[in-house]
Amino acid sequence: MEKMQSAAISSGGSLAGSRFCAIRGRGLWHRVDLSMPERRLCCGGTRVRSIQIGITRMRTGMEMVFRSKERALSTRAQASGELEDHPSNKLQPKSSGTVLPYVGVACLGAILFGYHLGVVNGALEYLSQDLHITENAVTQGWVVSTLLAGATVGSFTGGTLADKFGRTRTFQLDVIPLAIGAFLSATAESVQAMMIGRLLAGIGIGISSAIVPLYISEISPTEIRGALGSVNQLFICIGILAALVAGLPLAGNPIWWRSMFGIAVIPSVLMALGMFFSPESPRWLVQQGKFSEAEKAVRILYGKERVAEVMHELKAGSQGSIEQDAGWFDLFSSRYWKVVSVGAALFLFQQLAGINAVVYYSTSVFRSAGIASDVAASALVGASNVFGTAIASFLMDRQGRKSLLMTSFMGMAASMLLLSLSFAWKVLAPYSGILAVLGTVLYVLSFSLGAGPVPALLLPEIFPSRIRAKAVALSLGMHWISNFVIGLFFLSVVNKFGISTVYLGFAAVCAAAVLYIFGKVVETKGRSLEEIELALGPPA
């Protein structure tokens, strides 16, 4: 581009008879000397001044052309996959809107996500006695895993509902399986009723897993989108801890397990009521052509002083997405597969790196270190998860998504290697219990710094608006499928190959994830969703 600019300047200078010295400063070309050579013109001083004015106008026009070309080249460079090499320096004005209450309402879905995942762990022994399945381990396994099967269905359903009915209405519809599932589980008198309740609750949390990060990402101001997006994972962890706390009365009241399931109805109803007062996603409204409603939503979320700016960005972003919403098969087309595959891969790495396996096996690990209490073991893992996620929320808009992901998987790889060696090396046998506990806690901390919160935040950012809801749903479907498979086969694989070999395999997966993220994942910190879409989105 510098050669083009030099040629243009040289041409302009010869026409005007001026001398230019091109100096590059802050992306602009500045004139150092624009003096007229001393000539005698028959037309007098008026003619000279006219020529000088014309030269000044020509110089200004060329600077505008150069700036336009630089912006175009920058956008093309970003579109070619170099988004991470061109961080946004645009200063974002602070929002005077009220986005936080609506993020809080959406996070009720994240709490329910974590609560339904964790509630069965403490209650399983007691509900098995009441439903007469104490001696049937296979049926107990289905009571646990039916939730995951339902979540797989729900995660795919959530994207379609969000595109058809909007984000807030989908939240309200999601309350139906969440509340009915919790009620059936709490009142079940047979294992069949319990499994139907768990299946419905699973469908509900599957929809939540897709719609919560999508809605938060679309309503959050750019400057705090990372922090607010990672709150989703934080509230999932809080939901798991809430399920743990809810199980404390079980020792003195075995029938309390029914109340544990019934409690989940309350946040479900609160979420439905809260979404009745929450604004719809402005991006979805613009995509539907509802511009006046979008302006009202922007005014609530960002403040009236940012309405013009945000609406301009939304309309500019929607100009390239005037097509109808994409179908499921469009996600696998050459146009979109590059970014869709990143989403699916991140969730596959997240699960295949062993997070659920570590949680499943943590009780046995801690018992080998002399910690006999299941509650203490679960509390330590849960507290580590919450603490790490809180740190990630603080760092998300400072360090960026990509660096946190890489740091997280590197820490997980090191922790898994430590766990593997603590079981395999005889020289470490006297310290195996302590090293196993240390490795588990470090692993969970590393996971919660990036691998846990970042994928659900990053995916709505990199997916174009036309495919965003369905692509997020597809990626989360991969999450639930891999989660289900690992939960089903983990103990069998451990019995065949040994826990040390399995942990070593998890370390290798984490190392592969680091290499993949380095080569394929882009940095989105400080960029609006419209900027990211214009930079990464292929032409229609």
Side-chain angles (χ1 to χ4, degrees):
M1 188 175 76
E2 291 180 0
K3 292 181 179 179
M4 293 170 58
Q5 291 171 333
S6 299
I9 291 172
S10 175
S11 174
S14 64
L15 289 173
S18 304
R19 292 184 294 114
F20 281 82
C21 178
I23 295 179
R24 189 72 177 268
R26 291 176 294 182
L28 302 177
W29 287 74
H30 299 284
R31 180 187 60 130
V32 173
D33 186 7
L34 191 58
S35 59
M36 288 289 297
E38 188 174 342
R39 292 184 181 177
R40 296 191 180 275
L41 299 175
C42 60
C43 298
T46 302
R47 179 63 173 165
V48 172
R49 283 193 296 273
S50 298
I51 293 175
Q52 288 176 326
I53 291 171
I55 293 171
T56 302
R57 288 177 177 173
M58 182 173 63
R59 176 180 62 84
T60 304
M62 284 192 293
E63 287 182 351
M64 292 175 66
V65 170
F66 295 152
R67 286 196 292 268
S68 176
K69 287 182 178 179
E70 285 179 348
R71 286 193 295 268
L73 285 175
S74 176
T75 300
R76 285 196 292 271
Q78 293 169 358
S80 66
E82 301 174 7
L83 182 62
E84 66 271 30
D85 297 326
H86 300 272
S88 176
N89 295 320
K90 182 174 67 176
L91 294 176
Q92 298 287 345
K94 290 188 176 181
S95 172
S96 64
T98 54
V99 70
L100 291 179
Y102 310 115
V103 171
V105 172
C107 283
L108 288 172
I111 290 176
L112 288 165
F113 182 137
Y115 188 85
H116 279 292
L117 280 178
V119 69
V120 74
N121 291 336
L124 185 60
E125 177 184 350
Y126 301 92
L127 71 85
S128 297
Q129 293 173 2
D130 276 7
L131 301 181
H132 311 293
I133 57 172
T134 304
E135 304 299 325
N136 194 335
V138 174
T139 303
Q140 290 181 31
W142 276 109
V143 169
V144 174
S145 58
T146 299
L147 183 86
L148 302 179
T152 303
V153 175
S155 64
F156 286 107
T157 306
T160 301
L161 292 175
D163 279 340
K164 184 175 181 62
F165 299 108
R167 296 8 177 180
T168 56
R169 183 60 59 86
T170 301
F171 273 107
Q172 293 172 321
L173 293 173
D174 189 28
V175 172
I176 297 173
L178 284 171
I180 294 177
F183 178 78
L184 287 178
S185 299
T187 59
E189 297 294 340
S190 66
V191 69
Q192 290 82 3
M194 170 59 71
M195 292 176 67
I196 292 173
R198 292 284 288 170
L199 181 67
L200 287 173
I203 292 172
I205 69 169
I207 295 173
S208 294
S209 70
I211 194 67
V212 172
L214 177 66
Y215 180 70
I216 293 176
S217 179
E218 290 189 340
I219 69 170
S220 297
T222 300
E223 63 271 17
I224 57 172
R225 190 178 64 241
L228 293 182
S230 58
V231 165
N232 173 49
Q233 179 69 19
L234 178 63
F235 275 89
I236 291 174
C237 301
I238 291 173
I240 294 173
L241 277 181
L244 174 67
V245 173
L248 292 178
L250 278 170
N253 183 12
I255 204 66
W256 177 254
W257 70 267
R258 295 187 180 275
S259 299
M260 291 172 63
F261 284 100
I263 288 171
V265 175
I266 298 173
S268 302
V269 174
L270 290 176
M271 184 173 72
L273 293 174
M275 279 298 160
F276 182 77
F277 298 100
S278 299
E280 181 55 82
S281 162
R283 289 173 171 84
W284 182 81
L285 290 171
V286 168
Q287 197 173 354
Q288 303 300 310
K290 301 178 180 179
F291 297 109
S292 60
E293 294 180 38
E295 288 183 5
K296 292 178 183 178
V298 170
R299 188 175 292 108
I300 294 171
L301 294 168
Y302 303 120
K304 60 182 180 180
E305 70 278 1
R306 293 187 62 180
V307 171
E309 170 207 345
V310 175
M311 286 301 298
H312 175 74
E313 282 191 350
L314 293 177
K315 289 178 181 178
S318 68
Q319 286 176 358
S321 302
I322 57 176
E323 309 158 270
Q324 294 180 345
D325 291 336
W328 285 105
F329 289 107
D330 292 330
L331 303 183
F332 302 96
S333 66
S334 58
R335 179 180 176 185
Y336 293 123
W337 179 242
K338 182 178 179 181
V339 289
V340 172
S341 63
V342 170
L346 285 180
F347 273 111
L348 279 174
F349 278 124
Q350 182 195 69
Q351 295 303 306
L352 296 179
I355 179 58
N356 287 305
V358 167
V359 173
Y360 299 153
Y361 205 70
S362 62
T363 299
S364 299
V365 170
F366 290 152
R367 282 177 179 169
S368 71
I371 302 175
S373 171
D374 293 353
V375 174
S378 300
L380 185 58
V381 171
S384 301
N385 205 357
V386 172
F387 178 70
T389 305
I391 295 175
S393 299
F394 177 77
L395 295 176
M396 199 68 68
D397 288 310
R398 292 170 174 80
Q399 297 298 116
R401 286 61 151 159
K402 182 174 182 177
S403 61
L404 281 179
L405 266 179
M406 293 183 65
T407 302
S408 175
F409 275 107
M410 285 190 285
M412 290 162 66
S415 302
M416 275 296 178
L417 185 60
L418 177 62
L419 282 166
S420 178
L421 294 178
S422 69
F423 285 102
W425 283 10
K426 293 182 180 180
V427 69
L428 296 177
Y431 315 102
S432 61
I434 296 175
L435 291 177
V437 172
L438 179 63
T440 300
V441 172
L442 288 177
Y443 177 89
V444 173
L445 273 174
S446 298
F447 174 85
S448 61
L449 282 174
V454 170
L457 165 66
L458 184 68
L459 302 196
E461 294 181 328
I462 65 173
F463 292 146
S465 57
R466 181 172 180 254
I467 66 166
R468 186 172 291 143
K470 288 186 177 68
V472 169
L474 175 67
S475 301
L476 283 160
M478 299 301 298
H479 163 273
W480 288 115
I481 291 171
S482 55
N483 191 343
F484 179 81
V485 171
I486 289 174
L488 198 59
F489 294 108
F490 172 68
L491 288 179
S492 300
V493 174
V494 169
N495 291 334
K496 183 173 183 179
F497 297 102
I499 188 64
S500 177
T501 302
V502 172
Y503 279 176
L504 190 62
F506 287 149
V509 171
C510 294
V514 173
L515 297 176
Y516 180 86
I517 292 163
F518 178 78
K520 297 292 186 180
V521 176
V522 299
E523 182 55 71
T524 58
K525 178 187 71 172
R527 294 183 178 273
S528 71
L529 299 184
E530 287 67 41
E531 286 180 304
I532 297 168
E533 179 169 349
L534 288 173
L536 291 180

